[in-house]
Amino acid sequence: MRSTDTPAHSAGSVADAPGAIEVVEHTTETRLKADLLPLLAEADLLDSPAIWGSADTPAGAFRLEPVRPGRDLELLTGWMNDPEVAAYWELAGPAAVTAAHLRAQLDGDGRSIPCLGLLDGTPMSYWEIYRADLDPLSHHYPARPHDTGIHLLIGDGTNRGRGLGTTLLRAVADLILGNRPRCTRVIAEPDIRNTPSVSAFLSSGFRCFAEIDLPEKRAALMIRERALRNLL
C-alpha cells in the first residue's frame, strides 16, 4: 500500500517501475556512506598501521605490527630492561611497568599505536607511531595538522651499531608518508644525548629543526618533509 504521505505518480513513472524503491534506497545508502567517509577517516587518527604492508630494505622486508600484550609483553619487557634501552626509555623493571606503558596507549583514543618492527618476519624493534599534532609535543614546536611522530628502539643489541637504525627509520618514514596522504611531515624528538639515534635520523633524511626542552629531556626535534621525499 502506498503511503498517504507520498504523492501519486503517473503511469509509467520511474517510481512505479519494478525495483524502483530498491534503487532509491541504494542510492541514498551510497550517498550516506560517501558523506561519512571523511568522518570515518578522521576517526582513524593514524590510518591503520596494521594494514600498511611491508617495505623492502637492504636488510630485508620490514613491516609494523600493532602490539598485542598477551603475546608480546615478555619480549618487550626484556628489551626495556636492556641497559642501553633503559637509559633513555626509563621503563626498566617488572612486566607491570611495560604493561602500564602499553595500556596507556591501547586504552586511549588511537592517537598513539605501539608496534613491533618485524624484519623478515622476526620481531627486532619497538615503535610508537603517534599524532604529533595531538600530542603535548605540539606545544613545543609549530605543529601542522596530521604531523606524525615516531619513537623507536632496536631490541636486540646485535642489531645495533651497524647502520640498521638508519635503514629502518627511512623505511618507516616512507611507510607513513605512503599510507597517510594527509601527513606532510614525520616528526621525532630523540634525546640530544643519544648521539647514535640523532645520527641515524640525520642519515635517514631527517633534518634537525631545533633543540627543545621537554619535561623529561632536552631533545633534538627531527623533521622529514614529504616535499623532499623523492630527493632522498
Side-chain angles (χ1 to χ4, degrees):
M1 179 182 297
R2 190 186 301 273
S3 168
T4 56
D5 294 327
T6 305
H9 295 269
S10 60
S13 69
V14 173
D16 289 330
I21 293 177
E22 287 76 12
V23 171
V24 172
E25 289 178 347
H26 175 73
T27 303
T28 302
E29 180 182 359
T30 302
R31 185 172 63 252
L32 287 172
K33 286 182 178 178
D35 291 343
L36 285 172
L37 284 177
L39 298 176
L40 293 172
E42 190 67 28
D44 185 354
L45 296 179
L46 284 164
D47 300 306
S48 303
I51 60 173
W52 287 358
S54 63
D56 292 327
T57 79
F62 180 82
R63 66 185 176 89
L64 295 171
E65 182 173 307
V67 165
R68 288 188 284 169
R71 177 194 63 188
D72 304 323
L73 182 58
E74 182 178 356
L75 175 66
L76 291 173
T77 299
W79 290 350
M80 293 300 181
N81 279 279
D82 182 303
E84 290 188 38
V85 172
Y88 297 104
W89 282 77
E90 299 181 349
L91 291 173
V97 175
T98 300
H101 180 76
L102 296 174
R103 187 54 56 195
Q105 298 172 80
L106 296 172
D107 288 347
D109 59 5
R111 70 182 62 192
S112 180
I113 298 179
C115 297
L116 287 180
L118 280 68
L119 189 61
D120 286 335
T122 300
M124 46 72 63
S125 54
Y126 171 72
W127 302 73
E128 292 172 354
I129 311 299
Y130 69 97
R131 282 285 296 270
D133 60 321
L134 303 179
D135 189 83
L137 176 64
S138 65
H139 302 310
H140 299 271
Y141 82 103
R144 296 179 189 169
H146 297 283
D147 276 355
T148 303
I150 53 177
H151 298 140
L152 79 148
L153 67 87
I154 295 179
D156 186 343
T158 61
N159 287 319
R160 301 181 200 137
R162 54 189 185 92
L164 190 56
T166 296
T167 297
L168 299 185
L169 281 169
R170 186 182 295 273
V172 170
D174 283 341
L175 283 171
I176 291 170
L177 295 172
N179 289 280
R180 300 209 67 233
R182 296 169 294 175
C183 170
T184 62
R185 304 189 302 181
V186 182
I187 310 293
E189 20 80 23
D191 193 307
I192 198 70
R193 299 169 300 162
N194 192 349
T195 52
S197 179
V198 172
S199 177
F201 277 104
L202 291 172
S203 298
S204 60
F206 288 76
R207 64 185 178 89
C208 187
F209 184 83
E211 291 185 16
I212 55 177
D213 289 312
L214 301 178
E216 70 281 7
K217 63 186 177 184
R218 183 164 179 80
L221 180 67
M222 313 298 293
I223 298 179
R224 183 172 172 190
E225 301 270 0
R226 174 184 292 279
L228 301 178
R229 182 182 181 193
N230 294 329
L231 301 178
L232 300 174

